Amino acid sequence: MYGGSREPPLYNLKPPLLVVGDNIYLMTLVEILCAIIVIFGIIVLAIWLIWRPNKVYFHVADASLAKFDFSPSTNTLDYDLNLSFDIRNSNEKLGVHFDFIEAKTTFHHRRFATTNLESFYQEPRNTTTLHPVIKGQSAVEWGSSEKSDYEDEKKNGAFDIYTLFSMRIRLKSGWITTGKLKFLVGCSLKVPLKSDKISSSTFERTKCITLPDWTKS
C-alpha cells in the first residue's frame, strides 16, 4: 500500500544444493573401494609368495586291454581296460582334495564306458597312482569307419583309446581350503591288446593334457 518491499512467498524458497557434500561423499566411497582392492591384492600376492603354487601333473604310466571284442551281429563291445593313472602334486605346501573324478573312455570319438573313481586327499609333493576299473559290455553305434578302424587296429595288436577325466578339486594349505575348481584331463592312448599273444606292442608312458571345463555344475 505504501510501496514497501514484500517478502517472497515461502513456497518459492528452495533449499540450497548440497553439491559439495555429495562430491565429498562420492570421493570418500571411491577411496574406500580403492583401499579394499589394494589390500585384497596384497593379501593375494602374499598368499602366492608363501604357497608358490605349481602344476599338478597327470600321466598314464601303463595301459593294456585284456579284452576288446566287438560283435557286429549285436553291436556290442566287451572290454577290459587296465590303466595306471599317475597324479603328481609338485607343490610343497598345497594339498589337493580330489572330490570328484569321472572317466569317460572312447574309441574314435565313440564313448563305450563311464567310470567313477573314489575321492581322496593328496598330500604336498606326492604321487598317487589310481587303477580305474574299466570293464564291462556296452551297446555301441559304430559306422563303417569305426568298424574298419577296429579291424585294422585289431590286426596291429593295439587300439587308439581316449580317456577324458572330469575332475572337481579343492586346494588346502594349513587351515585354509579353497572353493571347488573343475577341469578336464585328456589322455590319448595307444593301448596294446594283451590277449593277443603274438602281439609285440608295448605301451609307452603318456602325458595327459589339462583342459578347461565349461560345463555347468
Side-chain angles (χ1 to χ4, degrees):
M1 182 175 178
Y2 296 98
S5 62
R6 292 183 177 182
E7 293 292 334
L10 292 178
Y11 57 79
N12 287 333
L13 295 178
K14 296 182 179 179
L17 297 175
L18 300 178
V19 176
V20 176
D22 290 345
N23 287 339
I24 293 176
Y25 173 77
L26 291 174
M27 291 176 63
T28 303
L29 181 61
V30 171
E31 290 175 355
I32 294 175
L33 291 175
C34 290
I36 292 174
I37 293 173
V38 171
I39 293 173
F40 179 76
I42 293 174
I43 293 174
V44 171
L45 178 61
I47 293 174
W48 184 86
L49 290 173
I50 294 172
W51 287 355
R52 292 186 181 274
N54 295 315
K55 279 187 176 182
V56 177
Y57 298 95
F58 304 92
H59 293 82
V60 174
D62 192 21
S64 64
L65 281 163
K67 181 190 293 184
F68 202 65
D69 298 330
F70 172 68
S71 173
S73 60
T74 59
N75 286 322
T76 56
L77 179 69
D78 285 315
Y79 55 90
D80 187 356
L81 172 63
N82 300 303
L83 294 181
S84 293
F85 183 52
D86 290 346
I87 302 176
R88 172 64 180 169
N89 178 13
S90 61
N91 292 282
E92 294 185 359
K93 299 181 180 180
L94 281 177
V96 184
H97 286 282
F98 287 87
D99 295 324
F100 174 81
I101 306 177
E102 181 185 67
K104 296 179 180 179
T105 307
T106 63
F107 174 74
H108 289 265
H109 309 290
R110 298 286 187 173
R111 186 171 66 185
F112 62 85
T114 300
T115 309
N116 290 318
L117 285 68
E118 292 186 3
S119 59
F120 67 96
Y121 173 72
Q122 187 179 45
E123 298 286 348
R125 297 193 65 80
N126 184 272
T127 299
T128 302
T129 301
L130 305 179
H131 299 280
V133 179
I134 305 175
K135 181 179 181 180
Q137 183 183 83
S138 296
V140 293
E141 296 181 0
W142 288 0
S144 57
S145 176
E146 289 81 17
K147 293 177 181 179
S148 176
D149 291 333
Y150 172 83
E151 294 298 333
D152 290 341
E153 293 174 26
K154 185 177 181 179
K155 292 177 183 178
N156 294 329
F159 290 91
D160 291 331
I161 302 293
Y162 187 82
T163 299
L164 184 68
F165 294 90
S166 176
M167 298 190 178
R168 306 288 185 274
I169 69 169
R170 290 173 295 141
L171 304 178
K172 181 180 182 297
S173 179
W175 55 270
I176 300 176
T177 302
T178 68
K180 288 188 178 182
L181 308 171
K182 62 178 185 176
F183 57 94
L184 304 171
V185 177
C187 308
S188 184
L189 311 172
K190 190 78 170 179
V191 185
L193 183 63
K194 290 300 183 183
S195 62
D196 184 1
K197 299 185 182 299
I198 64 174
S199 174
S200 60
S201 299
T202 57
F203 181 79
E204 295 184 3
R205 177 180 170 86
T206 303
K207 181 179 180 180
C208 304
I209 60 173
T210 304
L211 305 166
D213 186 355
W214 303 114
T215 59
K216 295 183 179 180
S217 300

